[in-house]
Amino acid sequence: MIIDSIQAAVGHTPLLRFTHREFAEIPKGSSVYAKLEYLNPGGSIKDRLGVYLIEVGLASGKITRETTIIESTAGNTGIGIAIAALAFGLRTIFVVPEKFSLEKQALMRALGAEIVHTPTEEGIIGAIAKAEKLQEEFADSYLPSQFENPANPQAYYQSLAPELVADLGESITSFVAGVGSGGTFSGVARYLLERNTAIRLIGVEPEGSILNGGASHSHEIEGIGVEFMPTFLEGLPITGYAAITDSDGFAMTRKLAREHGLLVGSSSGAVMVAALAEAAQLPAGSQVVTIFPDAGDRYLSKNIYSREDY
Ligand code: PMP
């Protein structure tokens, strides 16, 4: 396959099928499919958002060749935007809470981005406020605002979801995915709902996130979990939320690497725990689809594959 830019390699990721042979909890005749988004060029699902945001921004005139892109991010959105911005020589500045992985910050810098830190205690809300402040200081700047920009779910509605339907048809029983900004979950869910109103929609969060109504507390699973209700989820007929403990999520992340050769991050481990639980309680013949959002090697400094406590 010959391509003319790395941006053209975003998307069209493989869909890996798991059956009873790989995981005893999957009933015979049922399948769990994982979309391997970590195989995108920037190592995550957010490459799709980066390419789409820049495309839409340029088309609408909100971005010109002189615009500085400023965004708050845990890292993957920054990497995705940075890759997309490079195609047009755009300057990028990302506001990142200190606690997020050093590798993701190193990757953003490698792509020419500048990083501004905010205190871990202020969470993503603090990073959003800082990004908004920075935008006021730059004359020609654009803040994609991934937490409220409809282009975020739309990126997944128009690229990832059609790939799932092309591979599986319209008979998907359940869609199980992590919720950070909610962009991936809601964009894909809306597309699938338009084809099958009976589809089950399971949002996955780490224990400590608020979707299930539990108390908010810190967690180690990175990339999913919210401090506020994502606006993108409003109006979606969500079947339920699965809150996964750090311990279960990391144990599955390790198992996916050691037994299946899948070098994915902890949000992938978390959604796999939820997808297996979903498949286990459905009749034989069901098709459960989930998404592995990013690669595990960006968490090596956090001992993702070797911690003794999980
Ligand atoms: N997993 C990881 C590792 C992520 O970085 C993100 C995005 N923050 C997600 C899952 C969730 O994606 P979304 O923001 O679309 O809900």
Side-chain angles (χ1 to χ4, degrees), residues 104-138:
K104 285 194 282 199
Q105 298 180 40
L107 292 172
M108 285 187 275
R109 286 201 182 94
L111 294 163
E114 294 151 65
I115 307 283
V116 173
H117 278 135
T118 49
T120 295
E121 330 57 272
E122 291 179 15
I124 202 70
I125 293 174
I128 294 170
K130 177 72 184 171
E132 284 170 355
K133 214 159 147 225
L134 273 178
Q135 194 208 3
E136 288 165 16
E137 291 167 21
F138 281 79

Side-chain angles (χ1 to χ4, degrees), residues 81-217:
I81 291 176
I83 288 178
L86 277 176
F88 304 97
L90 304 173
R91 181 178 177 193
T92 47
I93 302 177
F94 299 118
V95 184
V96 186
E98 264 161 348
K99 76 165 181 177
F100 290 120
S101 103
L102 291 175
E103 288 90 332
K104 285 194 282 199
Q105 298 180 40
L107 292 172
M108 285 187 275
R109 286 201 182 94
L111 294 163
E114 294 151 65
I115 307 283
V116 173
H117 278 135
T118 49
T120 295
E121 330 57 272
E122 291 179 15
I124 202 70
I125 293 174
I128 294 170
K130 177 72 184 171
E132 284 170 355
K133 214 159 147 225
L134 273 178
Q135 194 208 3
E136 288 165 16
E137 291 167 21
F138 281 79
D140 184 359
S141 59
Y142 175 64
L143 191 67
S145 304
Q146 59 165 323
F147 293 94
E148 50 196 49
N149 188 336
N152 179 359
Q154 188 61 22
Y156 300 98
Y157 179 94
Q158 60 91 43
S159 78
L160 197 161
E163 291 173 25
L164 293 175
V165 171
D167 285 338
L168 293 176
E170 300 188 349
S171 58
I172 298 166
T173 318
S174 301
F175 175 59
V176 179
V179 178
S181 68
T184 314
F185 183 81
S186 68
V188 174
R190 283 187 206 284
Y191 188 91
L192 297 178
L193 268 172
E194 284 168 9
R195 281 146 189 87
N196 170 15
T197 50
I199 191 167
R200 291 168 54 85
L201 301 173
I202 314 290
V204 183
E205 61 176 349
E207 211 178 79
S209 167
I210 61 154
L211 299 175
N212 247 330
S216 173
H217 60 77

Side-chain angles (χ1 to χ4, degrees), residues 45-46 74 76-77 104 146 152 156 178-185 222-224 267 293-294 299:
I45 196 167
K46 291 293 159 184
N76 284 332
T77 300
K104 285 194 282 199
Q146 59 165 323
N152 179 359
Y156 300 98
V179 178
S181 68
T184 314
F185 183 81
E222 201 162 314
I224 55 175
S267 72
D294 78 345
Y299 304 103

